């Protein structure tokens, strides 16, 4: 039995509350809570919001490790040079550095996006036999469109639509094999040859690096674009990849996503409504800037 369950999240200050909700959902549905170790790769995080996240240790016997990416010369260099993800920011590149952040003692780590709700025991994933595979993940339901774009013709010299493509919102990682893959080195090479400028950021890169080297998990461990209909299928992890999120500031946003009410209570009502006020302020600031 695995002694510790190492889980990594990456987020900036705009996602502190969803990060907390993902972490708390892991805790609520895990049986061995004392085995949970969260590796929190963050940037621009205010002391107030860090304190919000640290409150989880008063409810559950978990361990937190913090990594301030603003103090990482490697991350700053990568974030400045690589193609910018305008929707998610260049925090997406942080997961590529996990092997360099967590150290040699961590043998297996589960990466989770912060727009996820866990409702099953993640201990199951840590007991999986990966065989000779470097990672385990779930096939992306729209992988061919992500790589191929309109008419599925873009980047056909890089990707074959017949190949399975995984969603990188959940990745179970054999750290030694991840380290052997030299992901940062391969990213530098892809940038030098112009490939990074053409592909969908780090997710495409990981699919190129680990082609045929990933174990396909059942869909329920990363239920992509989680909608109401999924509730009847007993998903293990909901992934809110669509435009509507369970923390949406407009009522209509909540009506189409799965387990919206459960999500609010997992985040806790106090933090949910405080995060809603935070997002309202951000929304109005953006509107006022556009109106100038």
């Amino acid at each position: 039995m695995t002694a510790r369950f190492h889980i990594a999240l990456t987020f900036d200050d705009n996602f502190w509350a969803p990060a907390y909700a993902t972490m708390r959902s892991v805790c609520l549905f895990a049986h061995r809570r004392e085995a949970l170790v969260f590796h929190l790769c963050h940037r621009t995080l205010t002391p107030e919001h860090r304190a919000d996240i640290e409150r989880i240790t008063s409810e559950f016997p978990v361990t937190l490790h913090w990594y301030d990416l603003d103090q990482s010369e490697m991350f700053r260099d990568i974030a400045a040079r690589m193609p910018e993800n305008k929707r998610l920011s260049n925090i997406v590149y942080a997961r590529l550095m996990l092997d360099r952040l967590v150290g040699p003692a961590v043998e297996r780590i589960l990466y989770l996006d912060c727009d996820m709700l866990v409702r099953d025991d993640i201990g199951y994933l840590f007991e999986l036999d990966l065989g000779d595979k470097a990672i385990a993940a779930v096939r992306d339901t729209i992988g061919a469109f992500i790589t191929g774009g309109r008419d599925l013709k873009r980047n056909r010299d890089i990707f074959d639509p017949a190949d399975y493509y995984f969603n990188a919102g959940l990745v179970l990682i054999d750290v030694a094999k991840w380290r052997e893959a030299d992901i940062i080195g391969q990213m530098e090479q892809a940038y030098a040859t112009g490939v990074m400028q053409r592909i969908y950021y780090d997710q495409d890169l990981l699919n190129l690096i680990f082609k045929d080297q990933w174990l396909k998990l059942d869909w329920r461990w990363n239920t992509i674009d989680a909608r109401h209909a999924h509730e009847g299928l007993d998903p293990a992890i909901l992934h809110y990849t669509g435009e509507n999120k369970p923390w949406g500031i407009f009522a209509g946003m909540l009506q189409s996503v799965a387990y919206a009410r459960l999500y609010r209570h997992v985040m806790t009502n106090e933090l949910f409504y405080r995060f809603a006020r935070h997002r309202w302020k951000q929304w109005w600031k953006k509107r006022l800037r556009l109106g100038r």
Side-chain angles (χ1 to χ4, degrees):
M1 179 178 288
T2 303
R4 306 285 264 174
F5 302 147
H6 293 275
I7 302 149
L9 292 85
T10 62
F11 57 95
D12 60 22
D13 198 54
N14 288 320
F15 264 74
W16 98 93
Y20 176 83
T22 298
M23 293 167 62
R24 190 165 184 260
S25 69
V26 170
C27 296
L28 285 166
F29 289 92
H31 286 101
R32 294 186 55 217
R33 292 163 180 150
E34 74 286 350
L36 297 172
V37 181
F38 290 100
H39 298 264
L40 306 175
C41 309
H42 63 90
R43 60 180 308 269
T44 67
L45 189 64
T46 66
E48 176 190 7
H49 294 161
R50 174 167 170 154
D52 286 331
I53 294 172
E54 287 178 333
R55 281 164 41 194
I56 202 165
T57 59
S58 66
E59 185 178 6
F60 303 104
V62 301
T63 302
L64 307 183
H65 292 307
W66 298 87
Y67 307 88
D68 186 351
L69 297 173
D70 289 325
Q71 303 304 313
S72 168
E73 183 177 346
M74 177 182 293
F75 175 78
R76 293 200 308 269
D77 175 59
I78 290 171
R81 291 188 297 110
M82 293 299 160
E84 181 182 359
N85 188 314
K86 294 180 173 58
R87 185 172 67 89
L88 299 174
S89 87
N90 281 0
I91 191 75
V92 297
Y93 293 113
R95 65 180 141 195
L96 305 182
M97 301 167 43
L98 284 178
D99 61 308
R100 306 186 184 208
L101 295 172
V102 301
V106 179
E107 297 178 356
R108 179 176 289 195
I109 193 165
L110 177 67
Y111 171 82
L112 295 176
D113 272 354
C114 291
D115 56 352
M116 286 182 152
L117 175 70
V118 177
R119 53 178 301 277
D120 209 332
D121 193 339
I122 57 94
Y124 165 82
L125 296 174
F126 285 87
E127 301 305 323
L128 282 177
D129 181 4
L130 292 180
D132 62 349
K133 306 300 185 185
I135 63 173
V138 173
R139 184 184 183 187
D140 199 305
T141 54
I142 58 168
F145 179 73
I146 292 172
T147 60
R150 182 172 295 179
D151 297 332
L152 307 187
K153 291 183 177 180
R154 188 187 63 206
N155 291 343
R156 288 282 290 277
D157 58 322
I158 302 175
F159 293 99
D160 186 336
D163 292 333
Y164 280 2
Y165 176 99
F166 62 83
N167 180 279
L170 176 146
V171 186
L172 181 66
I173 299 168
D174 181 312
V175 178
K177 287 187 171 64
W178 185 275
R179 189 173 289 122
E180 290 170 6
D182 185 23
I183 292 172
I184 299 299
Q186 293 206 50
M187 180 172 64
E188 294 286 6
Q189 183 179 0
Y191 184 76
T193 59
V195 171
M196 281 301 298
Q197 294 87 329
R198 296 173 55 194
I199 64 178
Y200 186 68
Y201 310 108
D202 61 321
Q203 179 166 281
D204 272 7
L205 178 68
L206 290 173
N207 271 274
L208 288 173
I209 292 173
F210 293 113
K211 180 183 176 181
D212 300 326
Q213 286 298 311
W214 60 283
L215 179 70
K216 184 173 178 285
L217 297 175
D218 188 86
W219 67 269
R220 64 187 300 270
W221 289 101
N222 184 357
T223 307
I224 297 165
D225 194 14
R227 307 266 183 144
H228 274 315
H230 289 119
E231 293 186 10
L233 301 175
D234 190 30
I237 299 180
L238 289 304
H239 193 178
Y240 302 104
T241 55
E243 292 186 5
N244 292 346
K245 307 293 185 183
W247 59 79
I249 58 177
F250 298 109
M253 292 182 176
L254 302 179
Q255 294 173 1
S256 65
V257 300
Y259 294 103
R261 187 174 183 184
L262 173 64
Y263 185 93
R264 171 164 58 88
H265 289 290
V266 168
M267 185 181 279
T268 73
N269 279 276
E270 186 273 330
L271 192 57
F272 182 88
Y273 289 113
R274 185 145 54 85
F275 185 53
R277 290 193 293 271
H278 169 83
R279 288 183 58 78
W280 265 116
K281 290 179 182 177
Q282 297 297 107
W283 186 81
W284 275 110
K285 286 179 181 178
K286 183 177 180 180
R287 294 278 293 183
L288 290 171
R289 284 197 298 269
L290 292 174
R292 289 178 180 175

